[in-house]
Amino acid sequence: MNSKVAKSSNALPTQIGRVGVLLGGNSAEREVSLRSGEAIFQALLANGVDAIKIDTAGSAIDKIRAANLDRAFIALHGPGGEDGRIQALLEYLAIPFTGSGVQASAIAMDKWRTKQIWRGEGLSTPEYVVVEDSTDLAASFAALGGKVMVKPSHEGSSIGMSKVETLAALGDAIERASALDTTVILERLIEGPEYTVAILGDQVLPPIRLEAANTFYDYDAKYHSNETRYLCPCGLPEQQESELKALAYAGFQSIGCKGWGRVDVMADSAGKFYMLEVNTVPGMTDHSLVPMAAKVAGLSFDQLVMQILEGSLAS
Ligand SMILES: Nc1ncnc2c1ncn2[C@@H]1O[C@H](COP(=O)(O)OP(=O)(O)O)[C@@H](O)[C@H]1O
Ligand SMILES: [Mg+2]
């Protein structure tokens, strides 16, 4: 882990060639992806890169082939674009792309598989139970402390997720989650501050503390509310901040992620950290979290975009 943030951009636009910004797509996060992709596209143009936008909704394969790309900047969030499928297509077409590869993207999109790896590696993540037909819900609920987050394993942006504090409310919450996914997990509720840690190459950017006015950092808090407060620097004492950064970096590496990403983490009242998930294509609007952390590290949005893109030169 490198804590010093390199600021220079070495690659020339001519070495980079023609870049396709893949955006939109068909997932529930389409609208956010369109905004991320547009911001990335503008940053590439500002850096003199020969860039075009490609909306992958519809015939993605034909559009990508026809565009004659030298590399792709993946700005797709959620299933289809963040889960290894578009990465596999690009690999097949021999087009280098930004961010994580096929396997790491697929694992990171699945919160359950991600947690299995973290547990296996001894990396901290909240205790959980996978809901199956045979699951004793009352016993699991009690074992998880009587307060849980019910999550579909695959969706993003808090869609289909609920905080449940009574056994009576559990059934409905599971139903909502299972309407979206075949795998539903119950996760112990962690009551304490929330952080998110951006990773750029082998650098860990300054963690951000999130303070949502809502009951949790839900879809509304993420994209509509003005009441979420973001603190960066996050206010932790140096020792704990280093611990948080090291955990996030280890979590990112253990999944095999590369290039860039963002790890969501909660702390309990005793200050112990628990990783929730890795986002392999986090939001990149100018209000998003990775750009916010980059800015504190001294990188402008345009510089950040170029560094992420340069990560694709190595592949
Ligand atoms: N175990 C948990 N304890 C407390 N809050 C949680 C827990 N899991 C998720 N949350 C809240 O829900 C939000 C979304 O959860 P997350 O696992 O990051 O999924 P996603 O961002 O893909 O929707 C988190 O940012 C956090 O505010
Ligand atoms: Mg999250």
Side-chain angles (χ1 to χ4, degrees):
M1 179 173 90
N2 189 342
S3 56
K4 202 170 154 282
V5 175
K7 292 178 191 165
S8 63
S9 163
N10 299 320
L12 299 168
T14 47
Q15 284 176 278
I16 290 168
R18 187 167 168 79
V19 177
V21 179
L22 308 188
L23 78 178
N26 297 309
S27 89
E29 293 172 87
R30 172 177 172 81
E31 293 306 317
V32 186
S33 165
L34 288 172
R35 301 212 310 262
S36 292
E38 181 64 32
I40 291 164
F41 175 66
Q42 294 300 338
L44 293 174
L45 293 186
N47 278 290
V49 174
D50 175 17
I52 56 162
K53 289 186 279 186
I54 300 175
D55 187 337
T56 58
S59 48
I61 301 177
D62 296 340
K63 287 185 205 167
I64 292 170
R65 277 200 143 137
N68 252 323
L69 303 178
D70 293 304
R71 60 197 68 253
F73 198 123
I74 300 175
L76 297 160
H77 310 310
E82 195 173 350
D83 62 359
R85 283 187 271 167
I86 205 83
Q87 290 78 3
L89 170 64
L90 292 167
E91 213 158 83
Y92 198 77
L93 296 174
I95 300 170
F97 54 89
T98 53
S100 296
V102 176
Q103 180 179 269
S105 299
I107 295 170
M109 181 50 58
D110 185 327
K111 295 187 171 79
W112 171 39
R113 299 287 183 202
T114 297
K115 288 168 73 68
Q116 285 183 307
I117 290 176
W118 284 343
R119 291 221 121 185
E121 293 286 317
L123 297 168
S124 180
T125 184
E127 268 180 276
Y128 68 99
V129 167
V130 177
V131 179
E132 287 165 349
D133 290 344
S134 61
T135 304
D136 179 338
L137 290 179
S140 301
F141 186 67
L144 293 171
K147 289 183 184 181
V148 298
M149 288 297 294
V150 179
K151 304 182 177 184
S153 192
H154 293 89
E155 273 297 335
S157 288
S158 313
I159 296 162
M161 200 176 289
S162 342
K163 178 172 168 178
V164 172
E165 299 185 77
T166 64
L167 184 57
L170 190 58
D172 281 355
I174 292 174
E175 220 163 275
R176 275 194 297 279
S178 45
L180 295 167
D181 201 324
T182 49
T183 307
V184 173
I185 58 176
L186 311 182
E187 192 174 80
R188 178 187 282 274
L189 191 77
I190 306 298
E191 296 182 277
E194 172 160 7
Y195 300 91
T196 195
V197 187
I199 290 160
L200 179 60
D202 63 356
Q203 303 165 3
V204 183
L205 300 181
I208 299 171
R209 177 170 170 169
L210 286 74
E211 285 180 354
N214 300 16
T215 54
F216 64 96
Y217 189 51
D218 60 10
Y219 190 83
D220 220 48
K222 276 180 188 165
Y223 301 120
H224 304 302
S225 170
N226 293 319
E227 288 173 48
T228 307
R229 291 209 313 146
Y230 304 98
L231 305 176
C232 190
C234 67
L236 282 170
E238 207 178 311
Q239 169 84 27
Q240 273 114 297
E241 180 169 313
S242 302
E243 198 187 305
L244 171 58
K245 289 168 86 170
L247 177 66
Y249 192 68
F252 184 81
Q253 294 278 84
S254 69
I255 306 301
C257 294
K258 72 178 195 64
W260 71 301
R262 220 192 67 219
V263 183
D264 291 341
V265 183
M266 309 270 319
D268 66 12
S269 53
K272 181 172 163 57
F273 297 114
Y274 299 85
M275 291 188 286
L276 300 179
E277 60 154 355
V278 185
N279 300 287
T280 51
V281 188
M284 275 293 281
T285 71
D286 52 4
H287 288 84
S288 298
L289 300 167
V290 177
M292 192 184 295
K295 197 167 175 194
V296 173
L299 288 178
S300 69
F301 188 86
D302 288 2
Q303 288 170 322
L304 170 66
V305 166
M306 291 308 284
Q307 286 213 12
I308 295 170
L309 182 62
E310 280 167 27
S312 75
L313 289 170
S315 51

